[in-house]
Amino acid sequence: MNETILVLGASGQIGTELTEKLRSVYGKKQVIASDIRGGNAAIMASGPFEIIDATDKETILKTVKKYKVTQVYLLAAMLSATAEKYPQKAWNLNMNSLLAVLDLAKENHIKQVYWPSSIAVFGPTTPKENTPQKTIMEPSTVYGISKLSGEFWCNYYHKKYGVDVRSLRFPGIISWKSKPGGGTTDYAVDIYFKALEDGNFNCFLSENTRLPMMYMDDAVNATIQLMQAKSEAIKVRTSYNLAAIDFTPKEIFEEIKKHVPDFTITYNPDFRQQIADSWPSNINDSEARKDWNWKHQFDLAAITKDILINLKK
């Protein structure tokens, strides 16, 4: 457990909560949070914080040397819906940040790298039901293209240089602590805020669009569990399929209505519908469950109850 961890992109939706959890596990001084600008006040106050552009290898290296960093969690990325608006920017951020960190590991400045992939690596030709670990992957979004390329870079650096890099293909992540960050599955976060603030929700996906989802607590726990597993247990060096639950906008709406009876919803699909239609409905993550004993804990009812209790506070 004698690790010193640098989190790049610590102010994002996952970064904020992962940093909190890592600090509770490894100690506040052992986890250096960083982002391209100042972020969450609690994260900046509870331990070291550095301003770092995740594509700037030299600044990352200075920080690694300053704190004697052993692990880098690279979370900086431009997400699916935003990336479609700024394709070149998204590619540069998503690729150059990964190559910078993989190079630092290849040069033995750090021991371990964590980098999240996404269900966006799949595409319209991928089997939609029970999507297997190895399958057809023809992503149709800039985000998906960058994540699929990144998976192969991770595998290449592991095979060629022995870099201990680990990755998870995240489904949609649901959380109440930070607002959404420009992803296609963001409706499943925003809907809870709107249920309590406005009493109605305008959904940008159609009512029966089924997508794989996961509660933030499960996503954070999976990430740390993967990084703590013995190296020989990690058999997949592209990225592991990761799953918990799947649902449609109609199903999440009906679950919220049990707690907020007057809640209403309208459906106005926009450009994000096309992105969602290219992704799987549910994922087979049996390899993660077999290799390092992954288990999720939250279903839709438990997620809804927990979020609404916390938001009301």
Side-chain angles (χ1 to χ4, degrees):
M1 294 286 278
N2 195 17
E3 304 289 353
T4 304
I5 296 166
L6 172 62
V7 182
L8 294 164
S11 299
Q13 187 198 15
I14 296 172
T16 304
E17 297 193 43
L18 181 60
T19 301
E20 279 179 4
K21 182 73 175 195
L22 286 168
R23 283 179 174 166
S24 75
V25 173
Y26 292 97
K28 290 177 179 175
K29 289 184 178 169
Q30 298 306 109
V31 180
I32 297 88
S34 74
D35 214 304
I36 197 158
R37 60 184 71 82
N40 182 288
I43 293 295
M44 293 179 75
S46 66
F49 188 95
E50 298 280 341
I51 301 287
I52 300 176
D53 175 343
T55 62
D56 182 352
K57 186 182 166 188
E58 289 310 308
T59 305
I60 299 170
L61 178 57
K62 274 183 197 160
T63 310
V64 164
K65 288 179 171 174
K66 177 179 171 182
Y67 293 99
K68 299 184 173 60
V69 168
T70 58
Q71 291 184 346
V72 171
Y73 285 64
L74 171 57
L75 304 175
M78 195 178 287
L79 300 183
S80 57
T82 313
E84 289 303 294
K85 296 174 186 169
Y86 310 104
Q88 192 71 50
K89 269 185 172 173
W91 175 259
N92 291 342
L93 169 59
N94 297 1
M95 281 294 88
N96 294 341
S97 58
L98 176 60
L99 290 170
V101 172
L102 289 174
D103 275 338
L104 292 175
K106 180 185 89 169
E107 293 155 11
N108 295 317
H109 296 296
I110 44 181
K111 285 193 313 188
Q112 261 186 318
V113 176
Y114 172 76
W115 175 81
S117 186
S118 161
I119 58 166
V121 296
F122 303 119
T125 53
T126 303
K128 278 208 166 307
E129 300 293 327
N130 202 27
T131 305
Q133 175 67 42
K134 290 186 174 169
T135 186
I136 299 163
M137 297 161 91
E138 295 183 324
S140 56
T141 64
V142 176
Y143 181 60
I145 294 165
S146 71
K147 286 297 182 186
L148 186 56
S149 305
E151 286 191 16
F152 286 114
W153 277 120
C154 289
N155 195 51
Y156 180 82
Y157 271 75
H158 175 70
K159 293 265 193 299
K160 185 147 177 121
Y161 307 115
V163 170
D164 187 359
V165 55
R166 307 177 183 199
S167 178
L168 298 170
R169 284 178 191 146
F170 277 137
I173 306 291
I174 305 171
S175 162
W176 56 271
K177 286 188 184 173
S178 47
K179 293 267 177 142
T184 300
T185 53
D186 280 352
Y187 88 86
V189 177
D190 201 26
I191 193 168
Y192 289 103
F193 286 93
K194 294 289 194 296
L196 295 178
E197 288 167 6
D198 306 336
N200 69 288
F201 180 61
N202 183 20
C203 187
F204 56 70
L205 298 180
S206 65
E207 63 178 345
N208 295 316
T209 306
R210 183 170 299 281
L211 289 170
M213 298 280 187
M214 176 176 287
Y215 199 35
M216 180 67 81
D217 298 45
D218 278 333
V220 165
N221 289 337
T223 304
I224 295 172
Q225 193 183 336
L226 175 78
M227 289 297 277
Q228 288 181 346
K230 288 189 163 65
S231 187
E232 56 271 22
I234 308 302
K235 306 279 197 283
V236 176
R237 292 292 182 163
T238 46
S239 189
Y240 275 100
N241 273 6
L242 194 73
I245 57 172
D246 53 86
F247 55 78
T248 65
K250 188 180 179 190
E251 287 167 2
I252 191 174
F253 165 68
E254 285 170 353
E255 193 60 46
I256 293 171
K257 257 184 96 71
K258 292 175 187 173
H259 304 267
V260 188
D262 296 334
F263 186 38
T264 58
I265 191 167
T266 50
Y267 300 97
N268 287 298
D270 65 11
F271 74 98
R272 287 166 286 197
Q273 182 67 49
Q274 205 176 350
I275 299 175
D277 288 342
S278 74
W279 291 351
S281 303
N282 46 58
I283 301 279
N284 182 324
D285 64 351
S286 53
E287 297 207 28
R289 292 177 190 264
K290 179 180 92 241
D291 291 356
W292 42 278
N293 299 318
W294 154 245
K295 291 178 191 69
H296 71 282
Q297 291 177 323
F298 288 84
D299 62 10
L300 182 56
I303 291 169
T304 300
K305 192 175 170 190
D306 197 58
I307 291 183
L308 293 174
I309 286 168
N310 281 294
L311 286 182
K312 281 173 185 167
K313 286 178 189 169

